[in-house]
Amino acid sequence: MLKMTHLSKAFRTEVVETYALRDFSIHVREGEFVAVTGPSGSGKTTFLNIAGLLETPTGGTYELDGQDVGALGDDARSHIRNQKIGFIFQAFNLIPDLNIYDNVDVPLRYRKMSSAERKKRITEALERVGLSARMRHYPAELSGGQQQRVAIARALAGSPKLLLADEPTGNLDTQMARAVMQLLEDIHRDGATIVMVTHDPELAARAQRNVHVIDGQVVDLGEDPKLHMNVSRISA
Ligand SMILES: Nc1ncnc2c1ncn2[C@@H]1O[C@H](COP(=O)(O)OP(=O)(O)OP(=O)(O)O)[C@@H](O)[C@H]1O
Ligand SMILES: [Mg+2]
């Protein structure tokens, strides 16, 4: 589904060049649920942004769903993003001036879809996250957990093959974090491939596979708990 090989991402300013990712290789298979952990500044968000075609790498190759997406222009990238990818951010990123229904509608408006089809998708997605009754409310009128569920509904409405989540539970208390995780597990069971960045070891342990990022490189932990411990010690 997602295959990066020797990928690099350098941020250049006049004085310094920082490598956010360096020789970064990862292969996420279709239908996997992968948790990405790693210290602050190690490159996790940069990886997700490139995976979601929001940023371009400075080197290496990226294949998404069997297609080399490295050399595509902006329009082609937006199109693929809109068709195949759903994003969930730590800060929810809802539009404050739009009600819940219209927030979920935002990515659908860029698709060639009848308004009836859009309505069906929005209603179903909001039902799924348990917020049908809140459609006409505005984000500020909802709790953090509810806002994150709207963000999940927005990602779901497009039926993405690949769901990218950057600390989706980072702003939530434990109970809400578990509820959001449960929702992601349901979505995964229905066939989506999920890559989730998290600082929470309890949530990471619930994913099928853990990938650790240190200094812009991947350390794949697989399911080997011994390696898990060693890496925790290195990065501590
Ligand atoms: N737009 C940018 N310009 C310059 N440097 C950047 C930019 N974005 C990220 N970086 C640098 O790239 C590195 C990786 O950043 P990134 O946001 O991917 O880390 P992260 O693992 O997501 O950290 P956190 O856990 O704190 O969110 C950091 O050193 C950061 O300063
Ligand atoms: Mg980050």
Side-chain angles (χ1 to χ4, degrees):
M1 179 78 218
L2 179 164
K3 191 173 184 187
M4 295 176 171
T5 316
H6 306 306
L7 205 80
S8 63
K9 176 68 179 179
F11 290 105
R12 293 188 183 87
T13 66
E14 280 161 27
V15 271
V16 285
E17 188 179 58
T18 325
Y19 274 88
L21 300 178
R22 194 193 287 268
D23 198 13
F24 186 99
S25 298
I26 188 171
H27 186 184
V28 177
R29 284 162 200 82
E30 187 153 358
E32 266 196 304
F33 190 155
V34 175
V36 179
T37 55
S40 178
S42 58
K44 304 180 298 294
T45 294
T46 306
F47 156 58
L48 277 198
N49 286 343
I50 294 176
L53 303 178
L54 293 171
E55 282 183 33
T56 47
T58 41
T61 56
Y62 175 23
E63 256 177 62
L64 174 65
D65 208 12
Q67 181 183 12
D68 185 345
V69 290
L72 295 177
D74 282 351
D75 287 351
R77 295 158 59 80
S78 307
H79 182 73
I80 294 175
R81 192 185 318 130
N82 198 242
Q83 296 291 321
K84 296 190 178 174
I85 300 172
F87 261 106
I88 303 167
F89 302 91
Q90 176 175 7
F92 320 145
N93 288 14
L94 300 177
I95 300 169
D97 299 341
L98 296 181
N99 69 25
I100 299 317
Y101 183 96
D102 290 336
N103 260 283
V104 177
D105 189 27
V106 168
L108 299 183
R109 285 191 225 159
Y110 296 99
R111 295 218 193 169
K112 290 191 189 74
M113 217 178 258
S114 67
S115 57
E117 167 74 11
R118 274 162 47 198
K119 187 174 177 192
K120 179 169 168 279
R121 284 174 175 250
I122 297 165
T123 318
E124 278 174 9
L126 284 172
E127 228 159 72
R128 174 128 205 208
V129 302
L131 287 173
S132 306
R134 299 290 187 140
M135 272 183 211
R136 303 295 159 198
H137 285 74
Y138 287 81
E141 298 167 338
L142 303 186
S143 73
Q146 288 171 331
Q147 288 184 50
Q148 189 56 303
R149 274 147 57 200
V150 175
I152 293 174
R154 179 181 56 188
L156 282 184
S159 334
K161 289 187 79 167
L162 177 63
L163 191 60
L164 302 171
D166 197 353
E167 292 184 48
T169 61
N171 282 325
L172 306 178
D173 65 34
T174 311
Q175 209 177 338
M176 283 201 194
R178 285 190 187 137
V180 163
M181 185 66 189
Q182 180 66 54
L183 201 50
L184 293 179
E185 284 170 344
D186 293 345
I187 294 161
H188 172 241
R189 206 170 308 116
D190 288 349
T193 306
I194 302 186
V195 179
M196 173 185 74
V197 169
T198 182
H199 279 125
D200 185 335
E202 180 191 322
L203 297 188
R206 282 167 67 170
Q208 286 175 317
R209 180 155 72 100
N210 279 13
V211 165
H212 206 67
V213 178
I214 300 176
D215 284 341
Q217 287 198 310
V218 173
V219 185
D220 196 327
L221 300 172
E223 286 150 17
D224 183 349
K226 255 202 329 259
L227 186 57
H228 215 304
M229 272 171 47
N230 287 338
V231 170
S232 311
R233 234 178 279 137
I234 295 166
S235 58

